[in-house]
Amino acid sequence: QPNLWYFLEVKATIHNAALSFDVRMNGESWLSASGINTRQSSTNAYVNQMYLVRNYTATVYVDDVYILDTAGATCNDFPGDVRISVIAPNGDGASAQWTCSTGSSHYQLVDENPYSLMHYLYTRGLNNIDLLDYVDISGSPTIIAVAFSFMAYKDDAGARSVAGVVRHSGTNNVNGTNVALSSTASWLKIFYETNPGTGAAWLVADFNAAQFGLKLTA
């Protein structure tokens, strides 16, 4: 119906015979099937594109899009009616080894919305870490996962990469997967399905006490 928000969830297994899929609207299953071949003509057994298509001329708004897979012990099934909250930095953290493009406040150079490439943090020092505090979450919501988003690029020849850092209970936990940088400023994300400091699901208190940042790894 027009002028209403709907929460849509789709779960599918891509397979030549053992497909199953379930489409849910506002938590209720509206369409499901199994035993159907959903592979394309090649042998590929994965999804590489997703479309949200409208069938009438009215304006359609889409918000809070997320994609999960079945790997690991978390974030592999319907999470239910959830939303994505954008949380900005609001203070400098325990490590400030990157250089400010201007001034001395690190977080104020990367907290703009919309973003600005006129203010930034930079480093050429291998293993330099910069951490930031973030606005606290209020209430007691269930945190499904944390996505650390940042815009970055390299300004010289040669390979450059960074890794995410989460500081929990006084310890820096460095993400084991490096993120390669290109010469064009790009939005990048590092996902934390669990708290790397505990290996368990995120608690609101742990998130509020944590600091997030980057380490130059190459």
Side-chain angles (χ1 to χ4, degrees), residues 38-59:
T38 58
R39 282 188 180 177
Q40 59 185 39
S41 57
S42 69
T43 58
N44 294 341
Y46 54 81
V47 174
N48 59 10
Q49 294 183 10
M50 181 185 73
Y51 294 90
L52 297 174
V53 182
R54 65 183 185 184
N55 61 357
Y56 52 92
T57 58
T59 301

Side-chain angles (χ1 to χ4, degrees), residues 136-179:
D136 286 352
I137 296 175
S138 60
S140 54
T142 298
I143 302 175
I144 303 298
V146 173
F148 178 64
S149 301
F150 58 97
M151 176 170 282
Y153 66 98
K154 65 185 185 74
D155 64 356
D156 202 350
R160 293 291 182 268
S161 61
V162 295
V165 182
V166 178
R167 185 173 179 84
H168 172 85
S169 296
T171 299
N172 292 343
N173 300 275
V174 180
N175 190 307
T177 302
N178 292 335
V179 178

Side-chain angles (χ1 to χ4, degrees), residues 39-101:
R39 282 188 180 177
Q40 59 185 39
S41 57
S42 69
T43 58
N44 294 341
Y46 54 81
V47 174
N48 59 10
Q49 294 183 10
M50 181 185 73
Y51 294 90
L52 297 174
V53 182
R54 65 183 185 184
N55 61 357
Y56 52 92
T57 58
T59 301
V60 176
Y61 296 96
V62 178
D63 194 13
D64 291 358
V65 176
Y66 61 88
I67 301 175
L68 309 178
D69 59 28
T70 56
T74 60
C75 297
N76 56 16
D77 205 347
F78 291 113
D81 193 344
V82 298
R83 63 186 173 92
I84 299 172
S85 296
V86 178
I87 300 175
N90 67 344
D92 292 352
S95 181
Q97 296 177 336
W98 292 33
T99 302
C100 297
S101 63

Side-chain angles (χ1 to χ4, degrees), residues 15 19 26 28 51 75 77 86 102-103 110 127 143 159 168 212:
H15 197 275
L19 159 90
N26 295 334
E28 179 184 357
Y51 294 90
C75 297
D77 205 347
V86 178
T102 184
V110 292
N127 298 320
I143 302 175
H168 172 85
F212 298 85

Side-chain angles (χ1 to χ4, degrees), residues 176-188:
T177 302
N178 292 335
V179 178
L181 304 181
S182 71
S183 299
T184 303
S186 305
W187 278 109
L188 303 168

Side-chain angles (χ1 to χ4, degrees), residues 193-206:
E193 296 182 5
T194 59
N195 180 351
T198 63
W202 282 99
L203 301 176
V204 171
D206 288 342

